[in-house]
Amino acid sequence: MLKRYPSIQSMQAFLQAARIGSFSSAARQLSLTHSAISQQIRTLEEFVGQPLFVREAGRVVLTDAGVLFANQLADGFEQIDRALSSVKERTVKQSITLDVDPELAQSWLVARLPALLGALRDTSLTVLSTPRHERSAFERVDIALRYGYGEWDGFENALICTDRLTAVGAPSLLAERGLDAPLTAAQLMALPLLGYTKRSWIPWLTAADLPAVEPDATAVFDNAAGLIAAASAGVGAGLARGLLAADAIRAGTLIELTQVEIPTHYNLYAVWPRDKAERVAPLLAAIRELVAQTVSPR
């Protein structure tokens, strides 16, 4: 239900009278008669349910309610002016809202924003990172990049890439111990290890033919980007997705420590409302290309 508001003219009349302290002077500046501005302010007072002015020594003076209203109303008119100026005689760019898994945003997306923006001619990009469990976020954005199993019923989705998990660490971690990559799985287990709350070491240990017992961790992270940063700093060795670790490996701050790798089953998907397929197609194509350039086939 729409709210009923006083007229803009009555509120402008009120502000002018409040600034000048005279209905007659305010009427002249607004090209109104004295009776017209008095009626507008009387209508406004009826709307708010109390007097906004009192007469003192031939002047009109604001009541306490009038002072409060004048201060708030002046701010409101400034916001209206800004809103009008933001669109007046301007061509407003089309905007696309992209929701990105927070870990992907930190480890991969930011470095590729120039390329994405270059693919979106005359279109601005709004980037959000909503929590993974907020499924309703898909309804509020144009396209989302999320990790999952492709289980988003009611929305279009496309697998962007499969991935692999490898053990990574900083060159300094090995240099301090006189080691060279590739390590054996047993050598890796002797290093300080980094844990991740959403991932176990056990599938990797099984692939490496080691006992399937979760090892102790020097530090445990709830964000893969934090784990990658810690590994790059030499804190320890951790399991990382190829997509998220690719830039650090390319920069030389991380290296793959062993030849053991395991496929991921929880992979990166693009998800979008069905009625926005055409709108997001250029951005989706650019994302696919950038991901393909990042993760080269083994």
Side-chain angles (χ1 to χ4, degrees), residues 28-86:
R28 284 194 298 272
Q29 293 197 9
L30 295 173
S31 299
L32 297 172
T33 63
H34 184 280
S35 61
I37 200 168
S38 296
Q39 179 59 44
Q40 288 183 341
I41 292 174
R42 186 159 50 251
T43 300
L44 190 60
E45 290 178 324
E46 290 173 357
F47 185 92
V48 301
Q50 57 184 312
L52 298 173
F53 291 99
V54 294
R55 291 190 175 276
E56 291 183 4
R59 288 175 50 82
V60 288
V61 179
L62 289 171
T63 62
D64 289 344
V67 170
L68 176 62
F69 186 49
N71 290 337
Q72 299 285 344
L73 188 58
D75 292 340
F77 273 117
E78 287 182 7
Q79 291 182 10
I80 291 172
D81 287 341
R82 287 195 295 270
L84 290 171
S85 297
S86 69

Side-chain angles (χ1 to χ4, degrees), residues 9-178:
Q9 290 79 10
S10 67
M11 290 187 284
Q12 288 175 324
F14 163 76
L15 278 181
Q16 194 66 19
R19 293 186 184 111
I20 298 173
S22 166
F23 285 5
S24 297
S25 297
R28 284 194 298 272
Q29 293 197 9
L30 295 173
S31 299
L32 297 172
T33 63
H34 184 280
S35 61
I37 200 168
S38 296
Q39 179 59 44
Q40 288 183 341
I41 292 174
R42 186 159 50 251
T43 300
L44 190 60
E45 290 178 324
E46 290 173 357
F47 185 92
V48 301
Q50 57 184 312
L52 298 173
F53 291 99
V54 294
R55 291 190 175 276
E56 291 183 4
R59 288 175 50 82
V60 288
V61 179
L62 289 171
T63 62
D64 289 344
V67 170
L68 176 62
F69 186 49
N71 290 337
Q72 299 285 344
L73 188 58
D75 292 340
F77 273 117
E78 287 182 7
Q79 291 182 10
I80 291 172
D81 287 341
R82 287 195 295 270
L84 290 171
S85 297
S86 69
V87 296
K88 187 176 181 181
E89 298 179 358
R90 288 183 57 188
T91 299
V92 179
K93 283 186 175 182
Q94 177 181 330
S95 177
I96 289 182
T97 302
L98 170 65
D99 177 52
V100 188
D101 178 274
E103 296 173 346
L104 185 69
Q106 295 172 62
S107 296
W108 181 83
L109 178 72
V110 172
R112 289 160 180 85
L113 278 177
L116 283 181
L117 293 172
L120 300 176
R121 295 178 181 175
D122 299 321
T123 301
S124 63
L125 185 65
T126 299
V127 180
L128 308 177
S129 289
T130 56
R132 292 174 176 175
H133 66 272
E134 287 194 20
R135 191 180 177 86
S136 63
F138 298 145
E139 300 171 358
R140 305 193 300 269
V141 303
D142 295 305
I143 186 169
L145 293 179
R146 292 290 184 90
Y147 283 100
Y149 301 101
E151 73 282 20
W152 294 282
D153 294 336
F155 296 88
E156 295 292 329
N157 70 81
L159 177 65
I160 297 300
C161 75
T162 56
D163 213 334
R164 59 193 180 90
L165 289 174
T166 60
V168 297
S172 61
L173 185 69
L174 301 188
E176 290 170 357
R177 293 162 176 79

Side-chain angles (χ1 to χ4, degrees), residues 158-269:
L159 177 65
I160 297 300
C161 75
T162 56
D163 213 334
R164 59 193 180 90
L165 289 174
T166 60
V168 297
S172 61
L173 185 69
L174 301 188
E176 290 170 357
R177 293 162 176 79
L179 298 172
D180 293 307
L183 305 179
T184 66
Q187 285 176 315
L188 176 68
M189 287 294 102
L191 296 176
L193 299 178
L194 304 178
Y196 178 47
T197 55
K198 305 177 185 72
R199 180 179 301 133
S200 168
W201 273 90
I202 289 177
W204 187 93
L205 292 170
T206 301
D209 293 325
L210 291 178
V213 178
E214 192 70 31
D216 292 332
T218 297
V220 179
F221 298 84
D222 68 353
N223 183 292
L227 184 149
I228 289 170
S232 298
V235 177
L239 294 176
R241 291 177 176 272
L243 180 63
L244 300 187
D247 287 350
I249 291 173
R250 187 172 294 113
T253 59
L254 282 182
I255 56 175
E256 294 185 9
L257 299 177
T258 75
Q259 295 179 338
V260 179
E261 64 178 52
I262 57 174
T264 58
H265 302 290
Y266 196 68
N267 288 308
L268 182 62
Y269 284 79

